[in-house]
Amino acid sequence: PGGRDVLRGLFDAKDPLLVRITAVQAAGRSTAAAMQPFLEWMLAKGGPEEQAEALQSLVCVGASGPVCVAAAQRALSSGHDRLVLVGLLGLCVWSPESALDAIRRILSAPASVRWFLAAHALRYLKTDQTVPLLLRLLAVARGSELEEVVVDALCRHLDEGTAREELLARAKQAPPPDVLACLLVNLTRHLPEEHAAEATGVVRGL
């Protein structure tokens, strides 16, 4: 509790943003259960930067509950891209179906920077609809800057659905160098050992 009061004392409107952000980060690195109320208080009192940091810290400390879900959902309606991203990531942990609905809404709107946020969040979303959604997004994003983000997300789901097959097929189609590099690096990190020979054959044939 004493540490919480010290951090709250650093959160004054007159303090530089860097100081306020550092206070939130310090709370997020603490193992004290008393820090969750402080982070929730920060969500109510802070600006977009502090709110984003507080949401991220709540995820990191393993917090949960309706307050966290509600804060993540509110973040999605902000005009602050990082806060939207952290809100999506929070929902991936606290309410996967809500995260899936939010991502679908973003992707149903005209293409924008929010598509990059949605694709990044799909790295962490574990539902039976994640890979099909990413594969549809991959088809739309082919040849664009978004493709690398989608490929990176798909590589976190290599053991699900047809993600592995689709990514290896894409490797054979001479994708842009940055996409191919992303794919190869992620295959090295995340490919299950039993599929290593298949991937090696594809790489040797490039």
Side-chain angles (χ1 to χ4, degrees):
R4 180 183 60 192
D5 292 340
V6 169
L7 293 177
R8 185 172 291 191
L10 294 173
F11 192 77
D12 187 283
K14 297 178 182 178
D15 290 323
L17 177 61
L18 179 59
V19 172
R20 302 198 305 271
I21 291 293
T22 302
V24 184
Q25 291 173 339
R29 293 188 177 97
S30 171
T31 58
M35 287 304 174
Q36 181 169 341
F38 168 76
L39 291 169
E40 292 173 354
W41 175 80
M42 195 74 71
L43 288 173
K45 299 294 184 180
E49 294 86 356
E50 294 97 335
Q51 290 177 37
E53 202 66 48
L55 265 180
Q56 180 172 302
S57 294
L58 284 168
V59 173
C60 292
V61 301
S64 61
V67 172
C68 297
V69 174
Q73 290 174 330
R74 286 196 304 273
L76 302 184
S77 62
S78 77
H80 190 277
D81 287 337
R82 181 163 183 262
L83 183 52
V84 171
L85 175 59
V86 177
L88 287 173
L89 296 176
L91 288 178
C92 287
V93 174
W94 296 319
S95 181
E97 290 303 320
S98 297
L100 183 61
D101 289 342
I103 289 169
R104 282 174 167 159
R105 287 195 300 272
I106 289 172
L107 296 178
S108 67
S112 70
V113 68
R114 295 290 169 91
W115 281 34
F116 287 81
L117 308 183
H120 182 76
L122 284 167
R123 299 171 77 195
Y124 306 99
L125 184 63
K126 300 294 185 182
T127 74
D128 60 359
Q129 294 301 307
T130 299
V131 168
L133 184 55
L134 278 168
L135 291 176
R136 291 196 295 273
L137 188 56
L138 179 64
V140 174
R142 186 162 296 192
S144 72
E145 293 181 355
L146 179 61
E147 184 177 10
E148 182 179 353
V149 183
V150 177
V151 165
D152 182 68
L154 268 171
C155 284
R156 300 303 180 97
H157 306 280
L158 289 171
D159 57 346
E160 300 174 33
T162 60
R164 186 185 75 260
E165 292 89 343
E166 294 290 342
L167 286 169
L168 292 176
R170 181 60 180 134
K172 297 176 182 178
Q173 297 167 352
D178 55 345
V179 173
L180 182 59
C182 174
L183 176 55
L184 295 179
V185 168
N186 277 292
L187 286 176
T188 301
R189 291 175 177 170
H190 306 296
L191 186 69
E193 186 176 351
E194 61 267 26
H195 300 297
E198 177 190 12
T200 300
V202 170
V203 172
R204 284 177 173 169
L206 296 177

